[in-house]
Amino acid sequence: MSIIEVLPEVNEVLRKFELPKEVGFGKIMAPIMIEADYADGKWGPLQLKAYGPITLDPTAKVLHYAQEIFEGLKAYKTDGNGPFLFRPDENAKRFNASARRMAMPDLPIEYFVEGSKTITSYCSEFIPPNSGETLYIRPFMFATEGSLGIKPSEKFKFLIIASPSGDYFKSGSVTVGIERDAVRATPGGVGMAKTGGNYAASLLSANQAIAKNCQQILWLDAVNHSRIEEMSGMNFFAVIDGKLVTPELTETILAGITRKSILEIAQSEGFEVIEKELLIEEVIEGIKSGKCTEAFACGTAAIITPINALQESDDTQYKLQNPEGPVAAKLRKTLLDIQEGRKEGPEGWVVKINPPV
Ligand code: COI
């Protein structure tokens, strides 16, 4: 028996929904959502209902103290295959790791996984069919208790919404601004958690970067401003001396599921992979000397997006020889082939979604 109660309105809103030709990324929302509330130390029922506004008390703690976490995962339905979810159990585990850091209750893993499967199943016919297009699924949880005291909320809401989406980046490669001053995360802070505040903290730098024609920011460590960390919503990889190099995970970096998958795929394709303390100067010197031939961003939304140049705030650019380089292209192809069901991946990575019962 399903753990999800399907409300009667669901069929009606699905019947009326029309998928526009141009979807963009995260702009069109599926007409249904999954919801559950937490109170009195336990989770209430999980429901599938019509998508719509939620009512919050103006003192809800999320609005004042940002007690909130989220995840992002995708359902694929390309070439008539699928729909498939990619490693939803990994997102569920990371969700609870974020919850613990933010003093929020664990969510039962089946709420996350069954909820993601169910919304995918009901939205199956709205998943755009071209390679790179997906149903982007956004599970999130936030503090709903109303009162202004700074203490962990005792009430929470969990929602899953879904967006038929195309590519996150319009162009094939990105220019990335090196952020030498502001920092994203500090030792002992919440950098490893997928919590809204980390993204809010990135927006001022994002604005400055956009003004300089950069599409992303590269964050350095908060102590010495020398070690590469991540890119807010994406992890960083470089190809140096033919080896695939990425910063080793620390408490200030979000552990990307795409990052982890790329490391496994690269190893199985015979690349040497190195996770290490990666200094910005090593990458800059590598670009200048020609040792660093490629760099790319990776993430659920970004998939694998080549970096064409790193840029300083004074506009100095370090241009990559090979922005659409062979390593990124090969890894992107294998990753998408697995996610979109053209190639068998390691056991458990790809979960086939059945039609609603
Ligand atoms: C994701 O890749 O799911 C993210 O959280 C990134 C965000 C830029 C959409």
Side-chain angles (χ1 to χ4, degrees), residues 176-237:
V176 175
I178 305 168
E179 178 53 271
R180 297 274 185 183
D181 300 315
V183 293
R184 172 187 173 274
T186 55
V190 298
M192 56 65 69
K194 202 159 176 68
T195 182
N198 285 331
Y199 298 79
S202 75
L203 298 179
L204 180 60
S205 298
N207 271 346
Q208 290 159 354
I210 290 163
K212 299 260 183 183
N213 294 319
C214 295
Q215 292 79 46
Q216 283 295 305
I217 313 154
L218 187 59
W219 297 106
L220 305 180
D221 76 279
V223 179
N224 298 314
H225 297 251
S226 60
R227 196 164 41 75
I228 294 178
E229 298 213 312
E230 57 148 278
M231 300 167 65
S232 286
M234 286 153 226
N235 292 106
F236 177 86
F237 276 87

Side-chain angles (χ1 to χ4, degrees), residues 25 70-73 94 136 138 168 194 199 232-234 299-302:
F25 179 88
F70 68 96
E71 272 299 324
L73 66 162
R94 191 173 66 182
Y136 181 78
R138 173 55 64 89
Y168 188 70
K194 202 159 176 68
Y199 298 79
S232 286
M234 286 153 226
T300 300

